[in-house]
């Protein structure tokens, strides 16, 4: 019976090139219930979602000629890593054995000490053929097995090219060793050593590539390393250490000083200072006590406390962050899908070119034609491996997404990573994005017949039922002055304007000028003072009782200390910066002047934010929207790239293309800079792969033979192996990339 809609992750064995990726993806997508399947050649994994049983996916991959195993947790990931290390060591052994036989044979040949293909010399070559057969089976068996599986599934991949190239060289050598007179005397040359050296070099290249690939997923390894392996729980009055997987929901967990918090939960007894820098980037520990939420993976610095587990397993914030990064690393942007489509037809095209090469040398080549024909065809097969082409995109995406995570930017998928590089305009929500999002009351201006305490009591009473940040500031100010709010009736929030309710039989309104105008409440006499407050960057709010103004409450939301610097960095990247806010125009302009915003849309209702983003897009701008991920959700969705300012938890992680864990606008700059660096790196890789094949294939086919240039098959094998290493090494350069911070003298 199929499981319900779910996401799965599998390790895939036996893949060698982009052709394999297409074969595995097609096999998985053919399984009933699979909604989406993405195979990552760089990581040798597959991400599958849908209403499907994982066993069916494993079986389908097996029928396609590859091996699959579901990855369910840290233990499986550790097992996959151990298996890759074992495979790395096997590759080195295979290289060593093939090189130990192949290179001495090549040396003897170059010294001219090889025996003739006659008499006792023929026996020497037959014995040599038997030895090389054993070595090829030990060191190159995987290529022939892979080619056979691909053939049975009507595919052709890198293994096909290597098996055809080395196999034909070995078979030809056997042929003239047994029956040397079948070919002209000038063509009587054996290629046993060439086949061995090619296999040795390809194994060495695969080992080096695997070693370099291991470094690309360091971001994931570091995130996984944040998870503690055990937790100290209290069951039936007894404390015991259990594996973290066995912690149940609502169980009581003790966290001692110096320990990592095992799961997400709430402190029920005790207090401590918690190092939350892995989520927030804040270097200083924060005090947490009874009733406060704590996040799994953060570090308890001082006191001991008891907590109740509220999110466990895959539901913890850290687990979701790991899954998000992993999913993004496995995704493919448009440029990657283009490379896959090219790779899918690449191997069949190479086989056609190899056949044409064979026919051309056979009909028009110089003597010994057979030798030239074999050497050129084998060289074409070997040098045209699409492995580098298949690795070019995924390996850079893996490093780029991991790099962004290091800077606190969680990128949802490769598509968002690619789009972010093209942004021309960044739209910033004001409250909580440019400003701290923690406003406080700074001015109380009562009208005649009212006093400050009465004005604040009325405002706090009506705002007590609201969840708006400005309402929280008013209620907090009343609490500080020991003013108790009164109970109101008929509370109503007027979107983007304010609130209304009845208090002791009187109608009370509290909000902006637009709300007052709609209710025919005269505020003209207060215009000057309100404007002065707004020009100072404050937000004046009018309070009216039974149709008469009772006063103005002014609230200020401090600008984040680094907002101006971050916006200057956006300008340095060539971006236009727009601010979008429901606040009044004067306040918005004052804030915009202080931080250097280019254009302001003020007094915008929540439902109009999405329209403003659309209007910018209609002007030809490619828009990135930065908001808090909840009330800005429509605008975030409409933007080409949505950036959610959040703490790395809850809705923010789920709602945007890119989530900024550290709440700073510098995260936007760094995500865009890393996006540009990653796409630039992908293009470098694709250029390298294409130019390598563009030059290598004609050279191998003998197009430049009239100029005296003909590629040696062994050099072709070495170049093919090193092309993948070059691509992976270039992608790894991204690991050392750091976005520039200085933009002003």
């Amino acid at each position: 019976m199929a499981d319900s809609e779910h996401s799965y992750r599998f390790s895939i064995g036996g893949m060698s090139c982009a052709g394999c990726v297409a074969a595995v993806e097609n096999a998985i997508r053919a399984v009933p219930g699979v909604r989406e399947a993405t195979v990552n050649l760089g990581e040798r994994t597959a991400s599958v979602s849908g209403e499907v049983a994982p066993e069916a996916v494993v079986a389908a991959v097996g029928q396609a000629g590859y091996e699959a195993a579901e990855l369910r947790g840290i233990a499986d990931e550790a097992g996959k890593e151990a298996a890759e290390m074992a495979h790395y060591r096997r590759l080195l052994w295979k290289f060593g054995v093939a090189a130990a036989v192949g290179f001495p044979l090549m040396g003897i040949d170059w010294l001219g000490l090889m025996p003739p293909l006659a008499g006792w010399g023929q026996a020497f070559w037959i014995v040599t053929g038997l030895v090389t057969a054993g070595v090829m089976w030990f060191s190159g068996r995987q290529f022939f097995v892979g080619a056979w599986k691909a053939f049975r599934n009507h595919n052709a991949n890198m293994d096909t090219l290597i098996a055809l190239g080395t196999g034909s060289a070995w078979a030809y050598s056997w042929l003239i060793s047994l029956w040397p007179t079948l070919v002209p005397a000038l063509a009587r040359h054996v290629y046993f050593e060439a086949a061995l050296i090619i296999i040795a070099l390809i194994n060495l290249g695969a080992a080096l590539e695997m070693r370099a690939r291991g470094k690309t997923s360091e971001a994931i390894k570091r995130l996984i390393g944040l998870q503690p392996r055990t937790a100290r729980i209290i069951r039936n009055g007894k404390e015991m250490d259990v594996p973290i997987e066995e912690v149940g929901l609502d169980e009581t967990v003790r966290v001692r000083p110096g320990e990592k918090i095992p799961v997400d939960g709430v402190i029920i007894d005790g207090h401590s200072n918690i190092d939350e820098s892995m989520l927030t980037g804040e270097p200083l520990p924060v005090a947490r006590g009874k009733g406060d939420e704590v996040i799994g993976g953060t570090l308890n610095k001082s006191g001991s406390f008891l907590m109740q587990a509220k999110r466990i397993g895959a539901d913890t914030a850290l687990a979701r962050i790991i899954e998000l990064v992993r999913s993004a690393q496995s995704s493919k942007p448009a440029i990657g899908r283009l490379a896959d489509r090219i790779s899918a037809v690449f191997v069949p095209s190479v086989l056609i070119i190899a056949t044409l090469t064979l026919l051309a040398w056979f009909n028009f080549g110089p003597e010994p034609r057979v030798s030239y024909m074999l050497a050129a065809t084998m060289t074409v097969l070997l040098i045209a491996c699409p492995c580098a082409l298949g690795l070019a995109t995924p390996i850079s995406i893996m490093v780029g997404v991991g790099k962004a995570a290091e800077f606190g930017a969680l990128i949802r998928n490769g598509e968002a990573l690619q789009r972010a590089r093209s942004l021309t305009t960044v739209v910033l929500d004001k409250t909580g994005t440019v400003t701290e999002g923690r406003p406080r009351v700074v001015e109380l201006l009562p009208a005649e017949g009212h006093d400050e305490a009465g004005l604040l009591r009325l405002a706090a009473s009506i705002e007590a039922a609201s969840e708006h940040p400005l309402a929280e500031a008013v209620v907090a100010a009343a609490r500080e002055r020991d003013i108790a709010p009164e109970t109101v009736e008929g509370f109503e929030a007027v979107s983007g304007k304010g609130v209304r309710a009845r208090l002791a039989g009187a109608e009370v309104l509290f909000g902006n000028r637009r709300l007052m105008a709609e209710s025919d409440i005269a505020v003209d006499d207060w215009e000057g003072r309100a404007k002065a407050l707004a020009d100072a960057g404050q937000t004046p709010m009018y309070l009216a009782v039974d149709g008469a103004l009772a006063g103005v409450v002014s609230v200020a939301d401090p600008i984040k200390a680094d907002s101006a610097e971050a916006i200057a960095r956006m300008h340095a990247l060539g971006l236009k910066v727009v601010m979008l806010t429901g606040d009044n125009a004067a306040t918005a302009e004052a804030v915009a002047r202080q931080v250097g915003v280019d254009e302001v849309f003020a007094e915008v209702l929540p439902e109009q934010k999405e329209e403003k983003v659309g209007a910018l897009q209609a002007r030809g701008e490619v828009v990135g929207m930065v908001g808090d991920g909840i009330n800005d959700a429509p605008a975030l969705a409409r933007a080409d790239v949505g950036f959610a300012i959040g703490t790395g938890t809850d809705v923010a992680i789920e709602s945007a293309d890119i989530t900024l864990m550290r709440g700073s606008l510098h995260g936007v700059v760094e995500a865009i800079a890393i996006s540009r660096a990653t796409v630039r790196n992908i293009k470098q890789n694709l250029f390298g792969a294409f130019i390598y094949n563009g030059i290598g294939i004609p050279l191998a086919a003998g197009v430049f033979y009239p100029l005296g240039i003909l590629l040696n098959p062994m050099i072709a094998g070495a170049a093919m192996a090193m092309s993948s290493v070059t691509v992976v090494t270039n992608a790894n350069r991204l690991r050392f990339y750091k976005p520039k911070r200085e933009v002003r003298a």
Side-chain angles (χ1 to χ4, degrees), residues 623-634:
V623 180
M625 171 72 197
V626 189
D628 63 11
I630 300 174
N631 58 359
D632 295 317

Side-chain angles (χ1 to χ4, degrees), residues 38 40 327-341 392-398 401 413-421 678-679 682 686:
T38 304
N40 187 319
S327 174
Q329 287 185 330
S330 299
S331 65
K332 291 177 185 174
I335 194 171
R337 290 194 292 273
L338 174 64
D340 279 358
R341 285 198 293 273
T393 302
I395 211 79
S396 295
I397 292 289
M398 284 177 65
V401 169
N413 52 52
E415 201 68 47
L417 184 69
Q418 184 176 348
R419 280 201 307 269
R421 68 174 280 276
T678 303
V679 175
I682 290 172
L686 289 175

Side-chain angles (χ1 to χ4, degrees), residues 682-698:
I682 290 172
K683 289 182 175 178
Q684 290 167 352
N685 283 347
L686 289 175
F687 175 79
F690 277 120
I691 199 71
Y692 165 82
N693 281 315
I695 296 175
I697 291 176

Side-chain angles (χ1 to χ4, degrees), residues 12-15 19-31 56-68 145-157 159:
I12 305 294
M15 291 196 302
C20 302
V21 171
V24 174
E25 281 184 346
N26 291 336
I28 296 176
R29 286 171 182 158
V31 177
V57 175
V58 172
V61 174
Q63 287 175 359
Y66 304 88
E67 301 93 38
V145 172
W148 174 244
K149 288 180 177 177
F151 175 75
R152 289 182 59 190
N153 287 281
H154 311 289
N155 290 323
N157 56 22
D159 292 336

Side-chain angles (χ1 to χ4, degrees), residues 118-376:
W120 69 272
Q122 191 171 6
F124 168 84
W125 286 114
I126 291 173
V127 172
T128 302
L130 291 173
V131 171
T132 55
V135 174
M136 286 179 69
W137 185 244
F138 175 79
S139 297
R141 180 173 67 247
Q142 70 273 22
F143 304 124
F144 294 92
V145 172
W148 174 244
K149 288 180 177 177
F151 175 75
R152 289 182 59 190
N153 287 281
H154 311 289
N155 290 323
N157 56 22
M158 186 188 91
D159 292 336
T160 306
L161 301 179
I162 296 172
L164 281 175
T166 57
S168 59
W170 184 82
Y172 174 80
S173 301
W174 259 108
L175 182 71
I176 63 171
S177 295
L178 293 173
W179 300 285
T181 55
L182 282 178
V183 297
L186 287 174
R188 291 173 193 167
H189 186 83
V190 293
Y191 293 97
F192 288 132
E193 83 286 359
L196 292 185
I197 291 172
I198 287 167
I199 285 175
L201 293 174
I202 292 173
N203 278 320
L204 177 62
L208 294 176
E209 176 204 317
M210 178 173 283
R211 190 175 179 80
R213 269 196 294 119
K215 296 177 182 175
T216 63
S217 56
E218 284 187 353
I220 284 285
K221 290 176 184 174
R222 277 199 288 271
L223 286 171
I224 292 175
L226 293 172
Q227 292 181 317
R229 299 298 177 95
T230 61
R232 168 150 291 214
I233 62 170
I234 300 177
R235 286 180 184 167
N236 302 319
K238 294 182 179 178
E239 292 192 12
M240 62 185 78
D241 291 324
V242 299
I244 192 170
E245 294 83 2
E246 295 182 12
V247 177
L249 201 60
D250 291 330
E251 273 203 305
T252 302
V253 181
R254 180 179 294 285
V255 183
R256 294 166 292 190
E259 289 182 339
K260 288 181 178 175
I261 296 170
V263 295
D264 297 355
V266 175
I267 295 178
I268 56 176
D269 187 34
H271 58 84
S272 181
N273 292 314
I274 311 292
D275 179 358
E276 298 181 345
S277 57
M278 72 103 178
L279 277 180
T280 65
E282 296 294 336
L284 297 178
V286 291
R288 294 282 186 250
K290 188 175 179 179
D292 288 337
E293 186 178 347
V294 290
I295 305 299
T298 56
L299 181 63
N300 177 26
K301 298 287 286 187
S302 52
S304 175
F305 60 86
L306 295 176
M307 59 174 282
Q308 191 172 33
K310 291 298 181 185
R311 286 195 295 259
I312 58 175
D315 293 329
T316 65
L318 181 58
R320 285 185 292 154
I321 289 171
I322 291 171
E323 184 56 34
L324 184 66
V325 174
R326 181 170 279 148
S327 174
Q329 287 185 330
S330 299
S331 65
K332 291 177 185 174
I335 194 171
R337 290 194 292 273
L338 174 64
D340 279 358
R341 285 198 293 273
I342 294 173
S343 299
V345 298
F346 197 80
V347 172
S349 302
V350 169
L351 292 175
I352 293 172
I353 293 172
T355 304
L356 294 175
T357 301
L358 184 146
L359 293 173
W361 280 99
F362 182 77
N363 288 288
F364 309 110
E367 292 297 344
R369 289 182 181 177
V370 176
S371 289
Y372 280 116
M373 177 187 73
L374 180 67

Side-chain angles (χ1 to χ4, degrees), residues 423-428 433-434 562-578 595-598 624-626 643 645 660 664-670 672-673 676 740-741 743-744:
L423 294 178
T424 59
T425 297
V426 175
V427 178
L428 307 175
T433 301
V434 177
D562 60 0
S563 287
E565 184 189 357
I567 290 170
R569 291 179 68 197
M570 292 179 195
H571 287 146
L573 290 177
L575 297 165
K576 179 181 179 181
V577 182
V578 176
V595 297
V597 165
D598 301 306
M625 171 72 197
V626 189
F643 295 84
I645 294 271
L660 306 176
S664 167
L665 287 177
H666 281 296
V668 177
V669 182
E670 278 142 8
I672 294 172
R676 293 181 178 182
K740 293 179 182 176
R741 296 282 296 197
V743 292
R744 288 175 175 167

